[in-house]
Amino acid sequence: MEEKDCIFCKIVRGEVPSKKVFEDEKVYAFHDINPVAPTHILIVPKKHILGVQTLEPEDECLVGHMFYVARKIAEDQGLAPKEDLKGGYRLVFNVGRDAGQSVFHLHLHLIGGRHMGWPPG
Ligand code: 5GP
Ligand code: ZN
C-alpha cells in the first residue's frame, strides 16, 4: 500500500475525517471507527511505516514517542492504573494478518474502560 492510497495517511493529511484526540509533529491520534471498548484510540506516526515488521533503526525514537503519547492520552482519559490496582489499559500492535493487522500503516491501539481478559483471542 502506497502513501497515496493509505487510509491512515489520508486521515493524517485530513483527506478522510477522523475524531482527533492529539497531534504533534510526529504523531496523530484519533478514535477508532469500530471501538472494541469504551475507549479505543489509535496512535499513528505521520510517517508511513507498514508496521512493526518493517521498522528500521531510525524509527526507534518514533516508536518510543508513540508509547509516551499513549501514556499521556490514557491519563487524560482517566485510564491510568490506580493505587488500589483498579483501572488500566492495554497497548497493542497487531503485526501481520494472523495477528489481526488489517491496516498496513503502523498504529498503536490504546484500549480501555472495561476489564480485559488474558490471553487475547
Ligand atoms: P488493525 O486491525 O490493523 O490492528 O487495526 C486497524 C484499526 O483501524 C481497526 O480497529 C479499525 O476499526 C480501524 N480503522 C480502519 N479504518 C478506519 C477509518 O477509516 N477510521 C478510523 N477512525 N478507524 C479506522
Ligand atoms: Zn500510510
Side-chain angles (χ1 to χ4, degrees):
M1 177 74 69
E2 291 183 22
E3 291 179 45
K4 183 167 61 72
D5 305 313
C6 170
I7 183 70
F8 285 178
C9 283
K10 287 182 179 172
I11 285 174
V12 166
R13 291 195 296 259
E15 294 166 16
V16 167
S18 64
K19 288 206 254 173
K20 179 165 99 170
V21 176
F22 176 83
E23 180 177 14
D24 66 13
E25 71 281 7
K26 295 196 200 98
V27 303
Y28 185 86
F30 55 101
H31 290 280
D32 196 293
I33 204 167
N34 186 23
V36 299
T39 302
H40 188 169
I41 292 165
L42 301 172
I43 297 122
V44 310
K46 292 188 169 177
K47 174 184 176 184
H48 179 84
I49 297 169
L50 187 143
V52 170
Q53 59 270 58
T54 62
L55 279 179
E56 299 286 348
E58 67 192 32
D59 302 320
E60 286 181 2
C61 284
L62 178 58
V63 174
H65 184 63
M66 290 169 71
F67 277 105
Y68 183 71
V69 166
R71 180 215 162 161
K72 291 314 223 181
I73 293 172
E75 287 178 358
D76 288 348
Q77 301 276 328
L79 295 174
K82 312 286 190 307
E83 278 180 18
D84 62 1
L85 302 181
K86 290 216 171 79
Y89 51 90
R90 189 166 288 176
L91 298 174
V92 175
F93 283 109
N94 291 326
V95 186
R97 290 202 188 277
D98 272 356
Q101 186 175 4
S102 60
V103 174
F104 289 85
H105 177 131
L106 184 68
H107 51 282
L108 180 58
H109 293 261
L110 165 55
I111 302 165
R114 65 166 169 83
H115 179 77
M116 272 166 276
W118 190 265

